[in-house]
Amino acid sequence: MNSDLIFRNKKIRQNRPIIPNDKLYSIFENNGVFQICFRSRGCSNYLAGSCIMCDYGLGTNITKEELELAFDKALSESKQEIKILLLNAYGSILDTNEISEECFTALLEKLKKTNINRIIFETHYNTITEEKLKLIKEELNDKIICFELGFETSNEEIRTNNLLKKINNNKFKEIINLIHSYGMGVIVNLLVGIPFLTTKEQLEDALNSIEWCINNDVDEIDLFPINVKPYTLLKELYNSKEYDVISHWLLVEVLNRIPLKDLSKIYLAWYGNRELEYSADEHSIFPKSCELCKDNLMEFYSQFLSNDDIYYRKSLIDNLIKNIECDCYKKVLTKLK
């Protein structure tokens, strides 16, 4: 990895405000999915200067008592029926440097007492061990368990050089198989809009990565169109015009080119429907659209996520493209030639 970029990344992150100690958690709720993010010291990769695009928070680790309180208070804020509970910290819920063993044991005790049937733990692949899988299986044997893993791209060279993130694909496959051996599911996060690639290369990389995941028995794929976040190297590259945010229509074109049989496995996240809490003058920069297509795109995403039937999803994509009222999609197609 480029040591100069890592140094720049770490220096930028020194300005990141610390999350206040009285903020034990944050929540996000959408289409029956309820997410609780517990305060923690921060992702190990983030602290090491890796991942030029990431920022999910920086704080102090919570205690067992604080976690128990946070869990109860967070659930009480839900405004919908919770079908899926997603749990994470600022990096990895299974990283003992963020969530202690004592805290995680307390969390499992809380989960056992809920009637929520499906639980997702978001964590880095290198935090998953057979010991932890056995513990979770024993404690939550009546629930459907999945692990959401950041992968970003199946291209190791792009991941290392463009994102400053180290993942060994063969080791990642082993973790997928290990999780499946315990009867649990695997959700993989992929990026759309990786820096230092052309628009055509961004599209091809996303499609190749989706194909890799399908071929390696990943259960679900979450597509993340890159948001440019404050206190990241990517924001600095954006400010210096070395990176530009992608068009929403690039994400649509990725969806348009996914084989029909695989559309039910695709989900979308951070497409402009949520924001991290920053100071009043700091905000994430979302994918681009014009005023004519913005509302239609947001409605499309919502409908796409509401139903995973492949024919329903394909018809949504076709109708969106057919009824375009602007030239945003045409501009993307021009860049793809």
Side-chain angles (χ1 to χ4, degrees):
M1 277 192 278
N2 188 313
S3 58
D4 290 336
L5 291 180
I6 290 174
F7 176 79
R8 284 172 63 189
N9 211 16
K10 291 175 75 172
K11 189 174 181 180
I12 292 165
R13 287 171 175 169
Q14 291 175 359
N15 298 318
R16 179 35 162 129
I18 301 294
I19 305 298
N21 281 343
D22 60 355
K23 187 169 182 60
L24 302 179
Y25 64 94
S26 59
I27 63 170
F28 180 73
E29 190 168 24
N30 189 35
N31 284 318
V33 179
F34 189 81
Q35 179 181 3
I36 306 175
C37 178
F38 297 106
R39 193 193 70 218
S40 74
R41 68 189 294 264
C43 175
S44 297
N45 283 328
Y46 182 96
L47 296 171
S50 300
C51 303
I52 72 170
M53 67 292 172
C54 272
D55 171 46
Y56 289 102
L58 198 62
T60 55
N61 290 347
I62 61 176
T63 65
K64 171 179 174 289
E65 291 73 25
E66 287 175 329
L67 183 139
E68 291 171 335
L69 175 64
F71 185 86
D72 292 339
K73 288 186 69 175
L75 286 187
S76 72
E77 295 178 33
S78 173
K79 296 178 174 58
Q80 306 171 6
E81 177 189 0
I82 301 175
K83 298 178 182 178
I84 301 171
L85 182 59
L86 170 59
L87 300 164
N88 64 325
Y90 295 157
S92 297
I93 194 78
L94 295 187
D95 188 343
T96 54
N97 289 316
E98 292 189 75
I99 302 296
S100 69
E101 291 184 11
E102 181 185 34
C103 283
F104 191 72
T105 299
L107 177 60
L108 293 179
E109 288 297 319
K110 286 288 186 181
L111 292 171
K112 282 168 65 173
K113 298 173 184 176
T114 72
N115 58 2
I116 302 168
N117 189 42
R118 188 176 180 203
I119 311 294
I120 300 173
F121 296 103
E122 185 172 4
T123 198
H124 194 275
Y125 85 112
N126 64 8
T127 66
I128 292 185
T129 64
E130 193 145 10
E131 180 182 38
K132 289 174 182 174
L133 293 178
K134 284 180 181 177
L135 174 64
I136 294 169
K137 185 73 171 178
E138 289 170 0
E139 296 297 321
L140 304 178
N141 60 359
D142 62 335
K143 299 185 185 296
I144 299 169
I145 304 297
C146 293
F147 295 90
E148 185 171 342
L149 310 176
F151 192 51
E152 325 313 352
T153 169
S154 61
N155 187 309
E156 288 192 53
E157 185 176 344
I158 290 174
R159 191 189 303 120
T160 301
N161 296 332
N162 298 40
L163 300 176
L164 304 182
K165 185 169 186 175
K166 267 284 190 184
I167 291 177
N168 181 284
N169 282 13
N170 289 329
K171 179 64 176 177
F172 199 88
K173 290 181 191 178
E174 291 176 11
I175 294 299
I176 292 172
N177 293 333
L178 179 62
I179 292 170
H180 282 157
S181 73
Y182 279 83
M184 301 174 183
V186 178
I187 302 168
V188 165
N189 297 336
L190 298 177
L191 295 178
V192 179
I194 291 177
F196 311 117
L197 299 180
T198 66
T199 301
K200 184 177 181 180
E201 289 169 340
Q202 289 171 338
L203 175 78
E204 291 172 347
D205 180 73
L207 293 172
N208 290 338
S209 299
I210 290 167
E211 183 179 14
W212 187 97
C213 289
I214 296 297
N215 291 340
N216 286 282
D217 300 319
V218 168
D219 300 290
E220 294 180 11
I221 299 164
D222 274 358
L223 296 181
F224 282 61
I226 289 185
N227 293 193
V228 177
K229 298 177 181 178
Y231 311 108
T232 64
L233 178 54
L234 190 64
K235 178 64 181 297
E236 187 175 280
L237 295 172
Y238 173 83
N239 289 342
S240 62
K241 302 189 184 306
E242 297 172 80
Y243 180 78
D244 194 11
V245 293
I246 67 164
S247 167
H248 276 287
W249 290 95
L250 179 60
L251 178 58
V252 171
E253 186 61 10
V254 171
L255 297 174
N256 187 41
R257 298 195 189 192
I258 294 172
L260 179 65
K261 64 180 179 60
D262 299 328
L263 271 180
S264 63
K265 292 190 172 186
I266 305 298
Y267 292 85
L268 311 171
W270 294 90
Y271 52 83
N273 60 328
R274 59 183 300 187
E275 167 74 290
L276 291 173
E277 291 185 19
Y278 293 102
S279 59
D281 57 344
E282 293 283 5
H283 298 280
S284 297
I285 303 170
F286 305 123
K288 293 185 290 189
S289 62
C290 73
E291 290 303 315
L292 283 174
C293 65
K294 181 178 178 180
D295 290 343
N296 288 338
L297 285 162
M298 292 301 116
E299 180 62 21
F300 163 77
Y301 293 141
S302 179
Q303 291 178 347
F304 186 92
L305 291 171
S306 71
N307 189 330
D308 63 7
D309 178 80
I310 58 175
Y311 299 104
Y312 172 80
R313 287 183 161 185
K314 185 58 178 173
S315 69
L316 282 178
I317 297 167
D318 291 343
N319 287 335
L320 179 69
I321 292 173
K322 181 181 178 181
N323 296 303
I324 297 171
E325 298 178 349
C326 62
D327 61 356
C328 291
Y329 182 51
K330 187 181 296 184
K331 289 178 181 177
V332 169
L333 293 181
T334 300
K335 291 182 179 180
L336 294 176
K337 291 180 180 177

